Amino acid sequence: MKKFFNTKNKKIFSRYGYVILRNVISKKKSKVLKRKVLELYESERKNGKSYNYKFDKNNKTKRVWNLVNKSKEFREIIQNKEVNLFMNWIFDRKTDHQKYFLSSFQANILLPGCSKQKLHIDSPLPEPLPEWPIKANSIWMLDDFNINNGATEVLPKSHKLKFKPKKKDDKNKNIIKCIGSAGSVIITHGALWHRSGENLSSEKRIALLGCFAASYAMEIANEENHSKIIDKFTLKKASPFLKKILGVGHGLKTGSRIVPKNRN
Ligand SMILES: O=C(O)CCC(=O)C(=O)O
Ligand SMILES: [Fe+2]
């Protein structure tokens, strides 16, 4: 397997606030995942349960949440070794605990005609932003991202700015598109200014957003509350590593659940 977690990519990430890992999974695999996303989207839509991203006034941004619970293919790729090596490095600190948790794992579906997102950061924190990353994302291209179909747009080096973009920054001339082929993954620093682009094509643009957070920032690491939304079926199937990044058993000490007979 190709090694993406290397000095060159770490340097790019530190300097620019993001790095594109080219062809982490095969085209074939990304097709399988895309088919799965579309199946889930259609069935949630038919049942009137489709998630509409409320900030898009045109209602053309759709999400499918809690992918961990919805298919083994998603459980498999969120444990991708290279991506997780990156996360372990991004959230590195001296601790015996798991350094990061999965915060949410969703599909982002941009329908044709979808307008661009507001420029934003992914770390819901007060300003000034801290020196260290509290959140980081993996954006998995399940379609080729091209200049036309809503490729993620970023402002390189903005992760160092310590504040969030304002309305006027939407027009910043240095914003660039992350172009790449299906199967590539963009790793973004949680303080990087970015947005999904405008989809001017006639096809959907599909990405998976695997969002991670420092384990000490529990609210942020709980964008999806895994202790509530992962069911017994998935827990039975989950590997020890998947349980670790979901925070299963976190905070449970020997004896925590023991209740004395004479409790009052
Ligand atoms: O799908 C994308 O290109 C990025 C989406 C994003 O940044 C977000 O939803 O926070
Ligand atoms: Fe974002």
PDB file of all heavy atoms in Angstrom, residues 53 63 108 117-123 135 137 139 152 188-190 192-196 209 211, ligand 2:
ATOM      1  N   TYR A  53     -29.185  20.435   4.029  1.00  0.00           N
ATOM      2  CA  TYR A  53     -28.236  21.351   4.679  1.00  0.00           C
ATOM      3  C   TYR A  53     -28.876  22.747   4.701  1.00  0.00           C
ATOM      4  O   TYR A  53     -29.069  23.372   3.657  1.00  0.00           O
ATOM      5  CB  TYR A  53     -26.942  21.328   3.877  1.00  0.00           C
ATOM      6  CG  TYR A  53     -25.840  22.208   4.394  1.00  0.00           C
ATOM      7  CD1 TYR A  53     -25.191  21.920   5.584  1.00  0.00           C
ATOM      8  CD2 TYR A  53     -25.418  23.315   3.657  1.00  0.00           C
ATOM      9  CE1 TYR A  53     -24.157  22.713   6.032  1.00  0.00           C
ATOM     10  CE2 TYR A  53     -24.384  24.116   4.101  1.00  0.00           C
ATOM     11  CZ  TYR A  53     -23.759  23.812   5.293  1.00  0.00           C
ATOM     12  OH  TYR A  53     -22.737  24.607   5.729  1.00  0.00           O
ATOM     13  N   ARG A  63     -27.205  15.681   2.848  1.00  0.00           N
ATOM     14  CA  ARG A  63     -26.230  14.930   3.658  1.00  0.00           C
ATOM     15  C   ARG A  63     -26.798  13.571   4.035  1.00  0.00           C
ATOM     16  O   ARG A  63     -28.000  13.433   4.223  1.00  0.00           O
ATOM     17  CB  ARG A  63     -25.911  15.703   4.947  1.00  0.00           C
ATOM     18  CG  ARG A  63     -25.497  17.154   4.695  1.00  0.00           C
ATOM     19  CD  ARG A  63     -24.024  17.342   4.887  1.00  0.00           C
ATOM     20  NE  ARG A  63     -23.594  18.601   4.314  1.00  0.00           N
ATOM     21  CZ  ARG A  63     -22.550  19.294   4.723  1.00  0.00           C
ATOM     22  NH1 ARG A  63     -21.818  18.865   5.730  1.00  0.00           N
ATOM     23  NH2 ARG A  63     -22.198  20.406   4.126  1.00  0.00           N
ATOM     24  N   ASN A 108     -21.523  14.250   1.748  1.00  0.00           N
ATOM     25  CA  ASN A 108     -21.977  15.572   1.309  1.00  0.00           C
ATOM     26  C   ASN A 108     -22.289  15.490  -0.186  1.00  0.00           C
ATOM     27  O   ASN A 108     -21.390  15.284  -0.990  1.00  0.00           O
ATOM     28  CB  ASN A 108     -20.897  16.625   1.586  1.00  0.00           C
ATOM     29  CG  ASN A 108     -21.423  18.035   1.428  1.00  0.00           C
ATOM     30  OD1 ASN A 108     -22.648  18.237   1.390  1.00  0.00           O
ATOM     31  ND2 ASN A 108     -20.535  19.004   1.329  1.00  0.00           N
ATOM     32  N   GLN A 117     -20.736  27.099  -0.628  1.00  0.00           N
ATOM     33  CA  GLN A 117     -20.947  27.292   0.805  1.00  0.00           C
ATOM     34  C   GLN A 117     -20.347  28.626   1.225  1.00  0.00           C
ATOM     35  O   GLN A 117     -19.494  29.167   0.515  1.00  0.00           O
ATOM     36  CB  GLN A 117     -20.154  26.201   1.553  1.00  0.00           C
ATOM     37  CG  GLN A 117     -20.958  25.185   2.266  1.00  0.00           C
ATOM     38  CD  GLN A 117     -20.049  24.185   3.000  1.00  0.00           C
ATOM     39  OE1 GLN A 117     -18.870  23.988   2.672  1.00  0.00           O
ATOM     40  NE2 GLN A 117     -20.602  23.542   3.991  1.00  0.00           N
ATOM     41  N   LYS A 118     -20.757  29.087   2.384  1.00  0.00           N
ATOM     42  CA  LYS A 118     -20.098  30.253   2.976  1.00  0.00           C
ATOM     43  C   LYS A 118     -18.665  29.831   3.350  1.00  0.00           C
ATOM     44  O   LYS A 118     -18.462  28.685   3.773  1.00  0.00           O
ATOM     45  CB  LYS A 118     -20.908  30.577   4.231  1.00  0.00           C
ATOM     46  CG  LYS A 118     -20.611  31.875   4.876  1.00  0.00           C
ATOM     47  CD  LYS A 118     -21.619  32.078   5.996  1.00  0.00           C
ATOM     48  CE  LYS A 118     -20.834  32.199   7.250  1.00  0.00           C
ATOM     49  NZ  LYS A 118     -21.312  31.900   8.483  1.00  0.00           N
ATOM     50  N   LEU A 119     -17.720  30.753   3.165  1.00  0.00           N
ATOM     51  CA  LEU A 119     -16.351  30.435   3.598  1.00  0.00           C
ATOM     52  C   LEU A 119     -16.389  30.251   5.124  1.00  0.00           C
ATOM     53  O   LEU A 119     -16.993  31.063   5.826  1.00  0.00           O
ATOM     54  CB  LEU A 119     -15.435  31.599   3.206  1.00  0.00           C
ATOM     55  CG  LEU A 119     -13.939  31.329   3.186  1.00  0.00           C
ATOM     56  CD1 LEU A 119     -13.577  30.296   2.121  1.00  0.00           C
ATOM     57  CD2 LEU A 119     -13.164  32.614   2.938  1.00  0.00           C
ATOM     58  N   HIS A 120     -15.774  29.201   5.601  1.00  0.00           N
ATOM     59  CA  HIS A 120     -15.880  28.903   7.042  1.00  0.00           C
ATOM     60  C   HIS A 120     -14.668  28.096   7.513  1.00  0.00           C
ATOM     61  O   HIS A 120     -13.844  27.661   6.709  1.00  0.00           O
ATOM     62  CB  HIS A 120     -17.168  28.108   7.319  1.00  0.00           C
ATOM     63  CG  HIS A 120     -17.166  26.733   6.697  1.00  0.00           C
ATOM     64  ND1 HIS A 120     -17.495  26.509   5.370  1.00  0.00           N
ATOM     65  CD2 HIS A 120     -16.853  25.517   7.202  1.00  0.00           C
ATOM     66  CE1 HIS A 120     -17.394  25.216   5.093  1.00  0.00           C
ATOM     67  NE2 HIS A 120     -16.997  24.581   6.191  1.00  0.00           N
ATOM     68  N   ILE A 121     -14.603  27.926   8.820  1.00  0.00           N
ATOM     69  CA  ILE A 121     -13.663  26.957   9.376  1.00  0.00           C
ATOM     70  C   ILE A 121     -14.504  25.856  10.026  1.00  0.00           C
ATOM     71  O   ILE A 121     -15.702  26.067  10.270  1.00  0.00           O
ATOM     72  CB  ILE A 121     -12.676  27.583  10.404  1.00  0.00           C
ATOM     73  CG1 ILE A 121     -13.423  28.118  11.637  1.00  0.00           C
ATOM     74  CG2 ILE A 121     -11.853  28.680   9.761  1.00  0.00           C
ATOM     75  CD1 ILE A 121     -12.508  28.468  12.791  1.00  0.00           C
ATOM     76  N   ASP A 122     -13.889  24.724  10.307  1.00  0.00           N
ATOM     77  CA  ASP A 122     -14.659  23.618  10.886  1.00  0.00           C
ATOM     78  C   ASP A 122     -14.551  23.536  12.407  1.00  0.00           C
ATOM     79  O   ASP A 122     -15.142  22.653  13.010  1.00  0.00           O
ATOM     80  CB  ASP A 122     -14.211  22.282  10.268  1.00  0.00           C
ATOM     81  CG  ASP A 122     -14.733  22.112   8.851  1.00  0.00           C
ATOM     82  OD1 ASP A 122     -15.765  22.710   8.519  1.00  0.00           O
ATOM     83  OD2 ASP A 122     -14.088  21.388   8.070  1.00  0.00           O
ATOM     84  N   SER A 123     -13.770  24.463  13.006  1.00  0.00           N
ATOM     85  CA  SER A 123     -13.603  24.402  14.468  1.00  0.00           C
ATOM     86  C   SER A 123     -14.541  25.398  15.137  1.00  0.00           C
ATOM     87  O   SER A 123     -14.322  26.604  15.035  1.00  0.00           O
ATOM     88  CB  SER A 123     -12.158  24.761  14.858  1.00  0.00           C
ATOM     89  OG  SER A 123     -11.250  23.992  14.119  1.00  0.00           O
ATOM     90  N   LYS A 135      -9.647  20.344  15.570  1.00  0.00           N
ATOM     91  CA  LYS A 135     -10.436  19.563  14.626  1.00  0.00           C
ATOM     92  C   LYS A 135      -9.649  19.386  13.333  1.00  0.00           C
ATOM     93  O   LYS A 135      -8.827  20.253  12.981  1.00  0.00           O
ATOM     94  CB  LYS A 135     -11.734  20.325  14.353  1.00  0.00           C
ATOM     95  CG  LYS A 135     -12.727  19.586  13.524  1.00  0.00           C
ATOM     96  CD  LYS A 135     -14.106  19.592  14.151  1.00  0.00           C
ATOM     97  CE  LYS A 135     -15.059  18.726  13.385  1.00  0.00           C
ATOM     98  NZ  LYS A 135     -16.179  19.513  12.872  1.00  0.00           N
ATOM     99  N   ASN A 137     -10.200  17.391   9.234  1.00  0.00           N
ATOM    100  CA  ASN A 137     -11.131  16.620   8.409  1.00  0.00           C
ATOM    101  C   ASN A 137     -10.437  15.815   7.335  1.00  0.00           C
ATOM    102  O   ASN A 137      -9.344  16.171   6.892  1.00  0.00           O
ATOM    103  CB  ASN A 137     -12.126  17.566   7.728  1.00  0.00           C
ATOM    104  CG  ASN A 137     -13.286  17.889   8.647  1.00  0.00           C
ATOM    105  OD1 ASN A 137     -13.461  17.235   9.676  1.00  0.00           O
ATOM    106  ND2 ASN A 137     -14.056  18.879   8.287  1.00  0.00           N
ATOM    107  N   ILE A 139     -11.603  14.752   3.606  1.00  0.00           N
ATOM    108  CA  ILE A 139     -12.647  14.931   2.581  1.00  0.00           C
ATOM    109  C   ILE A 139     -12.350  13.945   1.454  1.00  0.00           C
ATOM    110  O   ILE A 139     -11.338  14.066   0.749  1.00  0.00           O
ATOM    111  CB  ILE A 139     -12.656  16.389   2.057  1.00  0.00           C
ATOM    112  CG1 ILE A 139     -12.886  17.363   3.221  1.00  0.00           C
ATOM    113  CG2 ILE A 139     -13.710  16.566   0.963  1.00  0.00           C
ATOM    114  CD1 ILE A 139     -12.819  18.842   2.849  1.00  0.00           C
ATOM    115  N   THR A 152     -13.952  21.250  -3.439  1.00  0.00           N
ATOM    116  CA  THR A 152     -13.684  22.009  -2.206  1.00  0.00           C
ATOM    117  C   THR A 152     -12.734  23.165  -2.520  1.00  0.00           C
ATOM    118  O   THR A 152     -11.763  22.993  -3.260  1.00  0.00           O
ATOM    119  CB  THR A 152     -13.018  21.079  -1.165  1.00  0.00           C
ATOM    120  OG1 THR A 152     -13.775  19.873  -1.081  1.00  0.00           O
ATOM    121  CG2 THR A 152     -12.947  21.740   0.206  1.00  0.00           C
ATOM    122  N   THR A 188      -7.701  18.366   5.937  1.00  0.00           N
ATOM    123  CA  THR A 188      -7.744  19.803   6.235  1.00  0.00           C
ATOM    124  C   THR A 188      -7.597  20.065   7.733  1.00  0.00           C
ATOM    125  O   THR A 188      -8.144  19.334   8.565  1.00  0.00           O
ATOM    126  CB  THR A 188      -9.067  20.453   5.759  1.00  0.00           C
ATOM    127  OG1 THR A 188     -10.172  19.767   6.359  1.00  0.00           O
ATOM    128  CG2 THR A 188      -9.213  20.401   4.248  1.00  0.00           C
ATOM    129  N   HIS A 189      -6.872  21.125   8.049  1.00  0.00           N
ATOM    130  CA  HIS A 189      -6.743  21.615   9.425  1.00  0.00           C
ATOM    131  C   HIS A 189      -8.078  22.272   9.793  1.00  0.00           C
ATOM    132  O   HIS A 189      -8.671  22.968   8.957  1.00  0.00           O
ATOM    133  CB  HIS A 189      -5.600  22.643   9.426  1.00  0.00           C
ATOM    134  CG  HIS A 189      -5.194  23.154  10.766  1.00  0.00           C
ATOM    135  ND1 HIS A 189      -6.030  23.892  11.567  1.00  0.00           N
ATOM    136  CD2 HIS A 189      -4.018  23.044  11.447  1.00  0.00           C
ATOM    137  CE1 HIS A 189      -5.397  24.221  12.677  1.00  0.00           C
ATOM    138  NE2 HIS A 189      -4.170  23.710  12.638  1.00  0.00           N
ATOM    139  N   GLY A 190      -8.537  22.066  11.012  1.00  0.00           N
ATOM    140  CA  GLY A 190      -9.846  22.581  11.423  1.00  0.00           C
ATOM    141  C   GLY A 190      -9.977  24.093  11.376  1.00  0.00           C
ATOM    142  O   GLY A 190     -11.094  24.624  11.428  1.00  0.00           O
ATOM    143  N   LEU A 192      -8.649  25.923   8.854  1.00  0.00           N
ATOM    144  CA  LEU A 192      -8.450  26.364   7.455  1.00  0.00           C
ATOM    145  C   LEU A 192      -9.743  26.985   6.915  1.00  0.00           C
ATOM    146  O   LEU A 192     -10.830  26.427   7.097  1.00  0.00           O
ATOM    147  CB  LEU A 192      -8.070  25.152   6.593  1.00  0.00           C
ATOM    148  CG  LEU A 192      -7.814  25.454   5.119  1.00  0.00           C
ATOM    149  CD1 LEU A 192      -6.436  26.105   4.929  1.00  0.00           C
ATOM    150  CD2 LEU A 192      -7.911  24.183   4.264  1.00  0.00           C
ATOM    151  N   TRP A 193      -9.621  28.120   6.244  1.00  0.00           N
ATOM    152  CA  TRP A 193     -10.781  28.748   5.611  1.00  0.00           C
ATOM    153  C   TRP A 193     -11.087  27.956   4.332  1.00  0.00           C
ATOM    154  O   TRP A 193     -10.219  27.811   3.462  1.00  0.00           O
ATOM    155  CB  TRP A 193     -10.495  30.201   5.240  1.00  0.00           C
ATOM    156  CG  TRP A 193     -10.208  31.101   6.400  1.00  0.00           C
ATOM    157  CD1 TRP A 193      -9.939  30.736   7.683  1.00  0.00           C
ATOM    158  CD2 TRP A 193     -10.152  32.533   6.360  1.00  0.00           C
ATOM    159  NE1 TRP A 193      -9.726  31.851   8.459  1.00  0.00           N
ATOM    160  CE2 TRP A 193      -9.849  32.977   7.663  1.00  0.00           C
ATOM    161  CE3 TRP A 193     -10.322  33.486   5.348  1.00  0.00           C
ATOM    162  CZ2 TRP A 193      -9.707  34.314   7.980  1.00  0.00           C
ATOM    163  CZ3 TRP A 193     -10.188  34.827   5.669  1.00  0.00           C
ATOM    164  CH2 TRP A 193      -9.895  35.243   6.983  1.00  0.00           C
ATOM    165  N   HIS A 194     -12.311  27.525   4.213  1.00  0.00           N
ATOM    166  CA  HIS A 194     -12.661  26.683   3.060  1.00  0.00           C
ATOM    167  C   HIS A 194     -14.169  26.670   2.848  1.00  0.00           C
ATOM    168  O   HIS A 194     -14.936  27.181   3.669  1.00  0.00           O
ATOM    169  CB  HIS A 194     -12.137  25.251   3.291  1.00  0.00           C
ATOM    170  CG  HIS A 194     -12.912  24.547   4.359  1.00  0.00           C
ATOM    171  ND1 HIS A 194     -12.743  24.788   5.701  1.00  0.00           N
ATOM    172  CD2 HIS A 194     -13.915  23.633   4.287  1.00  0.00           C
ATOM    173  CE1 HIS A 194     -13.570  24.052   6.414  1.00  0.00           C
ATOM    174  NE2 HIS A 194     -14.303  23.342   5.575  1.00  0.00           N
ATOM    175  N   ARG A 195     -14.586  26.011   1.782  1.00  0.00           N
ATOM    176  CA  ARG A 195     -16.022  25.852   1.488  1.00  0.00           C
ATOM    177  C   ARG A 195     -16.182  24.823   0.362  1.00  0.00           C
ATOM    178  O   ARG A 195     -15.224  24.565  -0.391  1.00  0.00           O
ATOM    179  CB  ARG A 195     -16.635  27.186   1.035  1.00  0.00           C
ATOM    180  CG  ARG A 195     -16.050  27.683  -0.281  1.00  0.00           C
ATOM    181  CD  ARG A 195     -16.543  29.069  -0.661  1.00  0.00           C
ATOM    182  NE  ARG A 195     -15.793  29.588  -1.789  1.00  0.00           N
ATOM    183  CZ  ARG A 195     -15.535  30.883  -1.988  1.00  0.00           C
ATOM    184  NH1 ARG A 195     -15.961  31.793  -1.136  1.00  0.00           N
ATOM    185  NH2 ARG A 195     -14.857  31.277  -3.040  1.00  0.00           N
ATOM    186  N   SER A 196     -17.374  24.287   0.214  1.00  0.00           N
ATOM    187  CA  SER A 196     -17.635  23.499  -0.991  1.00  0.00           C
ATOM    188  C   SER A 196     -17.970  24.500  -2.093  1.00  0.00           C
ATOM    189  O   SER A 196     -18.506  25.583  -1.819  1.00  0.00           O
ATOM    190  CB  SER A 196     -18.785  22.510  -0.773  1.00  0.00           C
ATOM    191  OG  SER A 196     -19.930  23.170  -0.311  1.00  0.00           O
ATOM    192  N   LEU A 209     -17.249  13.144   4.299  1.00  0.00           N
ATOM    193  CA  LEU A 209     -16.545  14.005   5.240  1.00  0.00           C
ATOM    194  C   LEU A 209     -16.324  13.217   6.520  1.00  0.00           C
ATOM    195  O   LEU A 209     -17.263  12.966   7.276  1.00  0.00           O
ATOM    196  CB  LEU A 209     -17.357  15.278   5.545  1.00  0.00           C
ATOM    197  CG  LEU A 209     -17.895  16.085   4.350  1.00  0.00           C
ATOM    198  CD1 LEU A 209     -18.725  17.283   4.834  1.00  0.00           C
ATOM    199  CD2 LEU A 209     -16.760  16.562   3.457  1.00  0.00           C
ATOM    200  N   CYS A 211     -14.785  13.547   9.863  1.00  0.00           N
ATOM    201  CA  CYS A 211     -14.307  14.658  10.700  1.00  0.00           C
ATOM    202  C   CYS A 211     -13.798  14.114  12.035  1.00  0.00           C
ATOM    203  O   CYS A 211     -14.479  13.318  12.676  1.00  0.00           O
ATOM    204  CB  CYS A 211     -15.430  15.642  10.973  1.00  0.00           C
ATOM    205  SG  CYS A 211     -16.317  16.102   9.476  1.00  0.00           S
TER     206      CYS A 211
HETATM  207 FE    FE B   2     -16.145  22.624   6.282  1.00  0.00          FE
END
